Amino acid sequence: MHKIGIIGTGIFGTALAITAERAGNKVLCWDRKAEVVDEINKNHRNSLHLPNIELSENISASTNLQDIFEFAEIILLSVSAQATRSILHNIQPYIKADTILVLCAKGIEMDSGKMLSEIAEEIIPETTIAILSGPGFAIDIAQNKLASVTIACAKEGIAHKLTEILGTKYFRPYSTQDIISPQIGGSVKNVIAIASGIVEGAKLGDGARAALITRGLAEMVRLAKALGGNLTTLMGMCGLGDLVLTANCTQSRNFSFGYEIGKCGNAKQALENNTRTVEGIYTAKAVLKLAQKLSVEMPICEVVNRILFEDLPISSALNELMSRPYKEEGF
């Protein structure tokens, strides 16, 4: 039995705690809210995020970050991408030399355009950093439905070790040393999912959505390769797999958000009414900044960014994309 720390008990963090315990591990979670921690410890539930699922007695919680690092050598960081820098500063005093920190958020920091692993390398440079990414909704994982993910770590053997520790018959991780592709795949797919939702909401047709997803994959591949990522990795769970799920399902926050834009014809109302964390909103701007820095062509991500932040009408966005010069098939 290994000891696993979870930082962040939102719906995904709690689902990861559940599957880590099912894999035979003891789990300690952190949350800043005392009422959430008390309910986990006393009632074995997190009714705020997963109200109908009972938690094992092998899952406990604390409001003290130091407790997590004294308890576990393997820590899963499950806070939003835009909150990652802040929480890394908070945990920096407690990091140990043998700590393995697994970054589970999907996104690129909006202000800097940096991947989360780059931020971690700045703040906690001696720590072993791994990435967990891929298709899988938290509620499905918590309910023990089949899911597969990618676990990546540049250090040889670490990703494989983590798959052995976290894998179950229902939660199947694949390992890689390529930490670039899972981060770019997990980030760009959110932007493409917004675009896919827009197409669906605007009733542009299934063929249009299939074409958009396919060309979105091409944009994902171009950006990842420019950063040193691997095409083979992107054809796995953290790239194609995650894109297929997120850009086709109303359970996806990014797809549902895009659907509302497509339905009402502009982003203003959807942005005003949105109360959930939709990572693609922030990532759209960050991806575009990174693409421009690397001279990578990403027309879909560009028009999504303009729809969100420059009031570009959907009809104009569609016209721009369909009026682009013809080109050969491929990435």
Side-chain angles (χ1 to χ4, degrees), residues 216-279:
L217 176 63
E219 295 190 15
M220 179 191 295
V221 169
R222 285 199 294 266
L223 183 60
K225 287 179 72 175
L227 289 161
N230 190 304
L231 176 61
T232 302
T233 312
L234 287 165
M235 292 301 104
M237 293 299 163
C238 63
L240 178 59
D242 210 356
L243 180 61
V244 167
L245 178 70
T246 312
N248 281 295
C249 185
T250 55
Q251 196 174 333
S252 159
R253 294 181 180 187
N254 294 281
F255 180 90
S256 298
F257 176 73
Y259 181 85
E260 292 303 316
I261 295 174
K263 195 167 66 171
C264 67
N266 64 77
K268 184 178 180 181
Q269 184 176 337
L271 286 166
E272 289 175 351
N273 294 338
N274 180 56
T275 59
R276 302 186 297 174
T277 300
V278 179
E279 287 287 5

Side-chain angles (χ1 to χ4, degrees), residues 81-82 106-111 113 184 186-195 198 219 223 254 257 261 271 278-292 298-310:
Q82 304 309 316
K106 298 174 182 178
I108 297 171
E109 189 174 49
M110 186 168 65
D111 291 339
I184 296 303
S187 300
V188 174
K189 63 93 184 182
N190 284 333
V191 185
I192 303 304
I194 291 176
I198 291 171
E219 295 190 15
L223 183 60
N254 294 281
F257 176 73
I261 295 174
L271 286 166
V278 179
E279 287 287 5
I281 297 174
Y282 311 100
T283 303
K285 188 173 286 187
V287 162
L288 186 59
K289 181 184 294 186
L290 189 56
Q292 290 171 342
M298 301 185 73
I300 296 172
C301 290
E302 181 177 347
V303 298
V304 169
N305 189 72
R306 291 173 61 196
I307 288 169
L308 292 174
F309 302 110
E310 299 178 17

